């Protein structure tokens, strides 16, 4: 057996990005990246698009259509893989994404644009889930942590690049070209798939689709997405409550059903997997703060839109940079500590940011905001890649392993949707005072994300019990 140090040395970034694995790594990361970019890309383009094709009344549905479709697709990844194999599944994902992007690019009216966004979301969700599921066969186990770190970093890069690219194209009035550019990127990635992605094994193509689970999670995603745009705090809170009830119904159904989205291990007594998923969800829940940071920066600090938008991406920047380093952590004790530390750092970062908020904030104080938000985001990066590997390694059964890996994308997408809605509720609860609203959001998120330390400790205890 190799020592821990030898394993770490062998599992280097140089090996992952070397000639043998570079192609696979690029496809895995690229699929996650195009999905992440398009979460916020259209938000920057919509004002220009509305001026061109109308449909201002449908403005708020842009994110809803995309996220709902994305969550649905992530839940079907393991079945698409079983039916079509790695290469076929990836070609399908990129093909659907390209078709949706082109539909958006040629949209003559807002309903067509929204339909295109839905198709885009299906492709993006499939690609995001495939990235985590295909890593089983595309990379050796010693590279799983770094592969997961690279892919999850793409969420952070996408959250940064999406608004920036959208704003750039909108600045020149070329909103349609932004979608064309995304279609070209998707087509290029699809072109290299057959040459670099292992085909994998097919089988289980007749596995029944978990219709009831899909309906419940879709309804929960719709409810929570609508909650984020409903007028009034009471209506928004009611939307979130309905979504939580639907998620509860989903869990109850999955526990007793033979047609599951999550692997059977999730619901086994004493299993660590459910705690791993909860911790991932609580970490990515915090990403939703980024949607509102630009608003706080403009209203409280008087920053111009471009600068405020860049500040809003500080959480994702911290997430992306930190996990590229945290992936090098070796040894069970170090990894367990990072999984608990991550949610605490995220929560403390939001708490500190809330304490730094001021009306008419001076320039020097605004400069402090950026590193504080980067530190907050670093909490996600500390834990996310290790939690992803924990989910992938939760079972020795290959089919369940792919299902467990694909579910990481489902949890991430669903948590971002929930976080956005809850942030909207907290924002409205502050009333006319932007300072109060901003503090409600940041302090509220600090409390929620801190719970992740508790779930991470539970995951560590269960995992320790399983190995004894």
């Amino acid at each position: 057996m190799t020592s821990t140090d030898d394993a770490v040395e062998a599992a280097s970034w140089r090996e992952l990005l070397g000639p043998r694995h570079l192609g696979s790594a690029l496809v895995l990361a690229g699929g996650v990246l195009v999905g992440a970019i398009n979460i916020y890309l259209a938000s920057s383009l919509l004002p220009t698009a509305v001026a061109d094709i109308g449909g201002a009344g449908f403005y708020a549905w842009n994110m809803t259509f995309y996220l709902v479709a994305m969550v649905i697709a992530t839940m079907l990844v393991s079945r698409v893989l079983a039916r079509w194999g790695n290469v076929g599944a990836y070609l399908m994902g990129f093909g659907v994404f390209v078709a949706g992007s082109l539909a958006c690019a040629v949209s003559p009216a807002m309903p067509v644009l929204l339909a295109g966004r839905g198709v885009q979301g299906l492709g993006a969700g499939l690609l995001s889930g495939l990235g985590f599921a295909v890593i089983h066969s595309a990379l050796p186990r010693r590279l799983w942590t770094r592969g997961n770190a690279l892919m999850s970093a793409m969420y952070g890069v996408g959250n940064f690049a999406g608004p920036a690219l959208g704003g750039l194209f909108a600045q020149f009035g070329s909103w349609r070209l932004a979608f064309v550019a995304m279609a070209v990127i998707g087509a290029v990635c699809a072109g290299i798939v057959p040459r670099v992605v292992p085909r994998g094994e097919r089988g289980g193509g007749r596995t029944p689709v978990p219709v009831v689970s899909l309906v419940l999670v879709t309804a929960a995603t719709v409810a929570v997405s609508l909650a984020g745009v409903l007028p009034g705090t009471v209506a928004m809170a009611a939307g979130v409550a309905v979504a939580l009830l639907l998620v509860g119904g989903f869990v109850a159904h999955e526990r007793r059903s033979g047609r599951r989205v999550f692997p059977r291990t999730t619901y086994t007594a004493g299993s660590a997997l459910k705690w791993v998923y909860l911790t991932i969800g609580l970490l990515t829940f915090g990403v939703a703060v980024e949607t509102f940071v630009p608003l706080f920066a403009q209203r409280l600090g008087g920053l111009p839109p471009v600068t405020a938008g860049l500040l809003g991406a500080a959480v994702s920047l911290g997430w992306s940079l930190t996990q590229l380093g945290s992936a090098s952590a070796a040894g069970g004790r170090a990894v367990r500590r990072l999984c608990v530390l991550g949610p605490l750092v995220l929560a403390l970062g939001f708490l500190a940011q809330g304490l730094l908020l001021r009306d008419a904030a001076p320039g020097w104080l605004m400069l402090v905001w950026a590193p504080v938000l980067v530190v907050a985001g670093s909490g996600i990066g500390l834990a996310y890649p290790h939690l992803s590997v924990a989910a992938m390694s939760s079972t020795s059964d290959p089919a369940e392993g792919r299902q467990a890996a694909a579910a990481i994308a489902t949890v991430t997408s669903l948590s971002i949707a929930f976080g956005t809605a809850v942030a909207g509720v907290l924002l409205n609860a502050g009333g006319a005072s932007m300072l109060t609203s901003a503090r409600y959001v940041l302090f509220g998120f600090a409390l929620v994300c801190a719970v992740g330390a508790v779930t991470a400790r539970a995951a560590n205890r269960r995992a320790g019990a399983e190995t004894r």
Side-chain angles (χ1 to χ4, degrees):
M1 293 179 63
T2 59
S3 68
T4 301
D5 292 338
D6 290 339
V8 172
E9 184 178 354
S12 65
W13 285 110
R14 180 178 296 180
E15 182 182 1
L16 176 63
L17 301 178
R20 185 177 179 183
H21 301 297
L22 179 61
S24 295
L26 289 177
V27 170
L28 297 177
V32 176
L33 179 60
V34 294
I37 286 177
N38 280 272
I39 292 177
Y40 296 113
L41 176 76
S43 298
S44 301
L45 297 171
L46 274 181
T48 306
V50 166
D52 184 15
I53 62 176
F58 294 97
Y59 194 99
W61 288 86
N62 154 67
M63 187 73 77
T64 300
F65 271 63
Y66 188 83
L67 285 176
V68 169
M70 196 171 180
V71 170
I72 291 172
T74 60
M75 293 189 293
L76 296 174
V77 167
S78 58
R79 285 157 181 82
V80 173
L81 274 173
R83 177 67 178 86
W84 299 103
N86 294 345
V87 172
Y90 256 111
L91 291 177
M92 179 185 296
F94 279 119
V96 172
F97 177 79
V98 169
S101 299
L102 292 176
C104 291
V106 300
S107 298
M110 185 58 72
V112 180
L113 178 61
L114 292 177
R117 285 288 283 166
V119 176
Q120 252 196 336
L122 289 173
L126 188 55
L127 292 170
S128 297
L130 284 171
F132 292 99
V134 174
I135 197 174
H136 267 263
S137 54
L139 298 175
R141 187 180 183 119
R142 65 180 180 275
L143 290 177
W144 282 5
T145 301
R146 280 179 167 78
N148 273 289
L150 181 64
M151 286 187 296
S152 55
M154 295 302 101
Y155 280 109
V157 173
N159 289 349
F160 181 87
L165 287 174
L168 179 63
F169 280 100
Q171 184 74 32
F172 297 99
S174 304
W175 66 273
R176 295 182 188 274
L177 288 180
F179 290 112
V180 172
M182 296 311 304
V184 171
I185 293 172
V188 170
C189 289
I192 67 173
V193 164
R195 289 180 288 176
V196 300
V197 175
R199 294 193 173 275
E201 296 182 4
R202 300 185 185 184
R206 295 184 178 180
T207 302
V209 175
V211 177
V212 176
S213 294
L214 280 170
V215 169
L216 288 169
V217 171
T218 300
T221 309
V222 171
V224 77
S225 298
L226 290 177
V229 298
L230 289 173
T233 303
V234 174
M236 296 177 80
V240 173
V242 169
L244 289 173
L245 287 173
L246 289 167
V247 170
F250 163 81
V251 172
H253 171 75
E254 287 246 312
R255 288 178 67 90
R256 63 176 186 271
S257 174
R259 302 181 180 184
R260 298 183 180 91
V261 172
F262 290 94
R264 176 183 49 80
T265 311
T266 310
Y267 307 102
T268 302
S271 170
L273 187 54
K274 56 179 167 291
W275 298 109
V276 170
Y277 283 141
L278 280 171
T279 309
I280 290 174
L282 289 165
L283 282 171
T284 52
F285 182 90
V287 178
V289 165
E290 289 189 324
T291 307
F292 298 90
V293 168
L295 176 64
F296 303 156
Q298 291 181 61
R299 295 282 296 276
L300 297 176
L303 291 184
V306 174
T307 307
L310 292 175
L311 184 62
V315 173
S316 285
L317 181 62
W319 174 8
S320 301
L321 294 178
T322 304
Q323 68 188 354
L324 295 177
S326 75
S328 301
R333 180 176 297 179
V335 168
R336 288 192 295 271
R337 286 177 176 174
L338 287 175
C339 289
V340 174
L341 182 62
L344 291 176
V345 171
L346 180 63
L348 289 172
F350 288 154
L351 177 62
Q353 181 61 37
L355 295 173
L356 288 171
L357 295 175
R358 299 286 187 279
D359 275 320
W364 67 266
L365 186 58
M366 299 298 294
L367 289 175
V368 177
W369 284 22
V372 170
L373 290 170
V374 168
V375 169
S378 71
I380 304 174
L382 289 174
Y384 194 99
H386 301 292
L387 291 165
S388 299
V389 171
M392 292 168 55
S393 308
S394 60
T395 175
S396 58
D397 181 81
E400 284 235 329
R402 288 194 300 269
Q403 191 176 20
I408 297 168
T410 302
V411 173
T412 299
S413 301
L414 193 59
S415 296
I416 292 174
F418 264 88
T420 302
V422 171
V425 173
L426 295 172
L427 187 75
N428 277 3
S433 170
M434 179 53 62
L435 179 60
T436 302
S437 296
R439 284 177 173 166
Y440 278 2
V441 170
L442 289 162
F443 292 158
F445 269 63
L447 286 172
V448 172
C449 294
V451 177
V454 179
T455 59
R457 285 181 62 85
N460 289 340
R461 286 196 301 272
R462 298 291 187 183
E466 290 172 2
T467 56
R468 286 198 292 269

